[in-house]
Amino acid sequence: MMQACGILCVIVSFFLAFTEGDVVSDFREEPECIKFFYKDKVPLWGSATPGTARLCQRFQNTYHFATLYDTYNRIAVYSAYIFGPSNGGGRETRWFVEPQLVNQNWGGEMRDGYWLGQDYPGVYQGERQALNEDYTNSGFDRGHLNPNGHHAVPSRNATFTLTNVVPQNPKLNQNAWANHESKLASLFKSQCNKAYMLVGAIPSANNWIIKNNIQRVNIPEYMWSAYCCTDSNGLPVGSGAAVALNTDQNLVEEYTLSKMVDFLQKYSNTPVGELFYDQCQ
């Protein structure tokens, strides 16, 4: 009996160790992660991208948003989240990395890249993700996809992970895109009971942050966002989208969801389909 229990305990422990991390094969595996998608609908967009990783972004032992991450280009395909009004604070000086993109057996909690390096000296963290030093003196901002201003603490802190940022033109990031994010926040607070967001980037054909003659981080050609607003009964009451060329043109163009699908389809070899369940109708 004791031997059988011991074997069972080992099996259970292995299963728990395998499933507790935040790099998952399917967002639907984790109920606290799939909730960031309207009616649990995960878009097909980006799912066929080679080398993608599905991240349930965990901070302080809680999931705060989900990210489809492109480990080849070392930028996010998109981040999915639910808007939460900011209460200030939570502007991090740290930049987090995803330990399980270094070693799948490491813990699932996002970690400060510096302290992760202290715990595992000599282990290179940047094979499958961008590092803070990639952005240093690059001329590009660490552009949040899921913006810190769309959350209260501690979700606000959790947005400061390098798996949630892309190289963004500083003029765009600090002006038109920031204004776009603020405009959405005002809209959501006044007209939505709950707002589901997808924010992503379109990789460029061959434009990279290069360090030591190595292509490190792809510089996106476009930034894009899409939202679905619901009322207190969970019924859709509004939707929209936007696109911005990632240059100092500093212009954000508003789209409908259907126009956004058409736009994304130009960059996909497979059908994009719906971004939200029933296209938020």
Side-chain angles (χ1 to χ4, degrees), residues 195-232:
Y196 295 84
M197 284 290 300
L198 293 170
V199 186
I202 307 292
S204 60
N206 194 29
N207 194 13
W208 295 75
I209 290 177
I210 297 175
K211 296 286 183 176
N212 299 319
N213 296 316
I214 296 173
Q215 293 180 336
R216 282 295 303 158
V217 188
N218 187 279
I219 300 167
E221 183 177 0
Y222 288 97
M223 308 286 294
W224 65 271
S225 71
Y227 71 86
C228 175
C229 272
T230 63
D231 63 17
S232 57

Side-chain angles (χ1 to χ4, degrees), residues 76-98:
V77 178
Y78 64 74
S79 283
Y81 64 95
I82 298 172
F83 172 79
S86 173
N87 57 1
R91 283 215 52 101
E92 284 284 351
T93 57
R94 302 170 292 177
W95 284 99
F96 302 114
V97 295
E98 173 50 59

Side-chain angles (χ1 to χ4, degrees), residues 135 137-142 166-170 207 209 219 246:
Y135 285 87
N137 299 321
S138 69
F140 290 89
D141 284 357
R142 298 164 184 82
V166 301
Q168 191 171 13
N169 179 279
N207 194 13
I209 290 177
I219 300 167
N246 189 27

Side-chain angles (χ1 to χ4, degrees), residues 22-57:
D22 66 354
V23 177
V24 296
S25 59
D26 192 317
F27 288 124
R28 297 173 186 84
E29 292 178 4
E30 176 50 66
E32 290 303 306
C33 189
I34 192 64
K35 70 180 183 182
F36 300 115
F37 300 88
Y38 175 55
K39 290 189 179 293
D40 300 348
K41 167 71 175 180
V42 178
L44 293 176
W45 165 252
S47 60
T49 302
T52 52
R54 290 156 179 82
L55 312 180
C56 297
Q57 302 279 16

